[in-house]
PDB file of all heavy atoms in Angstrom:
ATOM      1  N   THR A  67       0.559 -14.014 -18.188  1.00 98.00           N
ATOM      2  CA  THR A  67       1.735 -13.154 -18.031  1.00 98.00           C
ATOM      3  C   THR A  67       2.581 -13.249 -19.243  1.00 98.00           C
ATOM      4  O   THR A  67       2.690 -14.279 -19.932  1.00 98.00           O
ATOM      5  CB  THR A  67       2.502 -13.424 -16.786  1.00 98.00           C
ATOM      6  OG1 THR A  67       3.116 -14.759 -16.810  1.00 98.00           O
ATOM      7  CG2 THR A  67       1.609 -13.297 -15.555  1.00 98.00           C
ATOM      8  N   ARG A  68       3.472 -12.219 -19.444  1.00 98.00           N
ATOM      9  CA  ARG A  68       4.388 -12.266 -20.537  1.00 98.00           C
ATOM     10  C   ARG A  68       5.572 -11.357 -20.162  1.00 98.00           C
ATOM     11  O   ARG A  68       5.420 -10.248 -19.579  1.00 98.00           O
ATOM     12  CB  ARG A  68       3.773 -11.715 -21.860  1.00 98.00           C
ATOM     13  CG  ARG A  68       4.691 -11.652 -23.061  1.00 98.00           C
ATOM     14  CD  ARG A  68       3.921 -11.468 -24.318  1.00 98.00           C
ATOM     15  NE  ARG A  68       3.255 -10.177 -24.359  1.00 98.00           N
ATOM     16  CZ  ARG A  68       3.855  -8.989 -24.723  1.00 98.00           C
ATOM     17  NH1 ARG A  68       5.117  -9.049 -25.107  1.00 98.00           N
ATOM     18  NH2 ARG A  68       3.188  -7.904 -24.750  1.00 98.00           N
ATOM     19  N   PHE A  69       6.754 -11.863 -20.428  1.00 98.00           N
ATOM     20  CA  PHE A  69       7.984 -11.070 -20.236  1.00 98.00           C
ATOM     21  C   PHE A  69       8.212 -10.037 -21.338  1.00 98.00           C
ATOM     22  O   PHE A  69       7.902 -10.359 -22.508  1.00 98.00           O
ATOM     23  CB  PHE A  69       9.178 -11.912 -20.187  1.00 98.00           C
ATOM     24  CG  PHE A  69      10.493 -11.195 -20.393  1.00 98.00           C
ATOM     25  CD1 PHE A  69      11.029 -10.335 -19.471  1.00 98.00           C
ATOM     26  CD2 PHE A  69      11.156 -11.330 -21.651  1.00 98.00           C
ATOM     27  CE1 PHE A  69      12.260  -9.724 -19.616  1.00 98.00           C
ATOM     28  CE2 PHE A  69      12.379 -10.580 -21.831  1.00 98.00           C
ATOM     29  CZ  PHE A  69      12.876  -9.785 -20.831  1.00 98.00           C
ATOM     30  N   ALA A  70       8.540  -8.812 -20.988  1.00 98.00           N
ATOM     31  CA  ALA A  70       8.853  -7.764 -21.978  1.00 98.00           C
ATOM     32  C   ALA A  70      10.109  -7.026 -21.499  1.00 98.00           C
ATOM     33  O   ALA A  70      10.199  -6.583 -20.402  1.00 98.00           O
ATOM     34  CB  ALA A  70       7.721  -6.759 -22.036  1.00 98.00           C
ATOM     35  N   PRO A  71      11.089  -6.936 -22.335  1.00 98.00           N
ATOM     36  CA  PRO A  71      12.418  -6.358 -21.922  1.00 98.00           C
ATOM     37  C   PRO A  71      12.307  -4.813 -21.775  1.00 98.00           C
ATOM     38  O   PRO A  71      11.690  -4.154 -22.591  1.00 98.00           O
ATOM     39  CB  PRO A  71      13.302  -6.644 -23.130  1.00 98.00           C
ATOM     40  CG  PRO A  71      12.414  -6.910 -24.356  1.00 98.00           C
ATOM     41  CD  PRO A  71      11.133  -7.487 -23.742  1.00 98.00           C
ATOM     42  N   LEU A  72      12.787  -4.355 -20.603  1.00 98.00           N
ATOM     43  CA  LEU A  72      12.720  -2.948 -20.317  1.00 98.00           C
ATOM     44  C   LEU A  72      13.918  -2.635 -19.409  1.00 98.00           C
ATOM     45  O   LEU A  72      14.024  -3.106 -18.250  1.00 98.00           O
ATOM     46  CB  LEU A  72      11.436  -2.529 -19.601  1.00 98.00           C
ATOM     47  CG  LEU A  72      11.385  -1.133 -19.111  1.00 98.00           C
ATOM     48  CD1 LEU A  72      11.452  -0.108 -20.265  1.00 98.00           C
ATOM     49  CD2 LEU A  72      10.085  -0.852 -18.310  1.00 98.00           C
ATOM     50  N   ASP A  73      14.855  -1.737 -19.841  1.00 98.00           N
ATOM     51  CA  ASP A  73      15.900  -1.250 -19.022  1.00 98.00           C
ATOM     52  C   ASP A  73      15.607   0.235 -18.718  1.00 98.00           C
ATOM     53  O   ASP A  73      15.699   1.127 -19.588  1.00 98.00           O
ATOM     54  CB  ASP A  73      17.226  -1.370 -19.803  1.00 98.00           C
ATOM     55  CG  ASP A  73      18.399  -0.836 -19.004  1.00 98.00           C
ATOM     56  OD1 ASP A  73      18.209  -0.367 -17.902  1.00 98.00           O
ATOM     57  OD2 ASP A  73      19.524  -0.999 -19.463  1.00 98.00           O
ATOM     58  N   LEU A  74      15.266   0.519 -17.467  1.00 98.00           N
ATOM     59  CA  LEU A  74      14.908   1.869 -17.160  1.00 98.00           C
ATOM     60  C   LEU A  74      16.079   2.811 -17.084  1.00 98.00           C
ATOM     61  O   LEU A  74      15.880   4.012 -16.907  1.00 98.00           O
ATOM     62  CB  LEU A  74      14.138   1.858 -15.821  1.00 98.00           C
ATOM     63  CG  LEU A  74      12.720   1.378 -15.923  1.00 98.00           C
ATOM     64  CD1 LEU A  74      12.193   0.938 -14.525  1.00 98.00           C
ATOM     65  CD2 LEU A  74      11.790   2.398 -16.526  1.00 98.00           C
ATOM     66  N   GLY A  75      17.280   2.277 -17.221  1.00 98.00           N
ATOM     67  CA  GLY A  75      18.486   3.073 -17.310  1.00 98.00           C
ATOM     68  C   GLY A  75      18.858   3.487 -18.690  1.00 98.00           C
ATOM     69  O   GLY A  75      19.955   3.996 -18.964  1.00 98.00           O
ATOM     70  N   SER A  76      17.936   3.183 -19.690  1.00 98.00           N
ATOM     71  CA  SER A  76      18.204   3.469 -21.097  1.00 98.00           C
ATOM     72  C   SER A  76      16.984   4.084 -21.813  1.00 98.00           C
ATOM     73  O   SER A  76      15.940   3.381 -21.841  1.00 98.00           O
ATOM     74  CB  SER A  76      18.680   2.201 -21.855  1.00 98.00           C
ATOM     75  OG  SER A  76      18.547   2.336 -23.184  1.00 98.00           O
ATOM     76  N   LEU A  77      17.026   5.299 -22.158  1.00 98.00           N
ATOM     77  CA  LEU A  77      15.869   5.942 -22.803  1.00 98.00           C
ATOM     78  C   LEU A  77      15.489   5.167 -24.087  1.00 98.00           C
ATOM     79  O   LEU A  77      14.354   5.044 -24.470  1.00 98.00           O
ATOM     80  CB  LEU A  77      16.102   7.390 -23.084  1.00 98.00           C
ATOM     81  CG  LEU A  77      16.182   8.275 -21.869  1.00 98.00           C
ATOM     82  CD1 LEU A  77      16.632   9.699 -22.165  1.00 98.00           C
ATOM     83  CD2 LEU A  77      14.778   8.313 -21.225  1.00 98.00           C
ATOM     84  N   GLU A  78      16.552   4.664 -24.751  1.00 98.00           N
ATOM     85  CA  GLU A  78      16.320   3.913 -26.030  1.00 98.00           C
ATOM     86  C   GLU A  78      15.460   2.652 -25.686  1.00 98.00           C
ATOM     87  O   GLU A  78      14.477   2.343 -26.416  1.00 98.00           O
ATOM     88  CB  GLU A  78      17.591   3.453 -26.617  1.00 98.00           C
ATOM     89  CG  GLU A  78      17.421   2.731 -27.937  1.00 98.00           C
ATOM     90  CD  GLU A  78      18.777   2.174 -28.480  1.00 98.00           C
ATOM     91  OE1 GLU A  78      19.811   2.508 -27.921  1.00 98.00           O
ATOM     92  OE2 GLU A  78      18.700   1.474 -29.555  1.00 98.00           O
ATOM     93  N   SER A  79      15.825   1.945 -24.644  1.00 98.00           N
ATOM     94  CA  SER A  79      15.028   0.757 -24.236  1.00 98.00           C
ATOM     95  C   SER A  79      13.627   1.132 -23.837  1.00 98.00           C
ATOM     96  O   SER A  79      12.683   0.425 -24.239  1.00 98.00           O
ATOM     97  CB  SER A  79      15.759   0.094 -23.070  1.00 98.00           C
ATOM     98  OG  SER A  79      14.959  -1.034 -22.607  1.00 98.00           O
TER      99      SER A  79
END
Side-chain angles (χ1 to χ4, degrees):
T67 63
R68 181 168 62 85
F69 162 73
L72 173 64
D73 180 356
L74 287 162
S76 165
L77 290 171
E78 179 183 1
S79 174

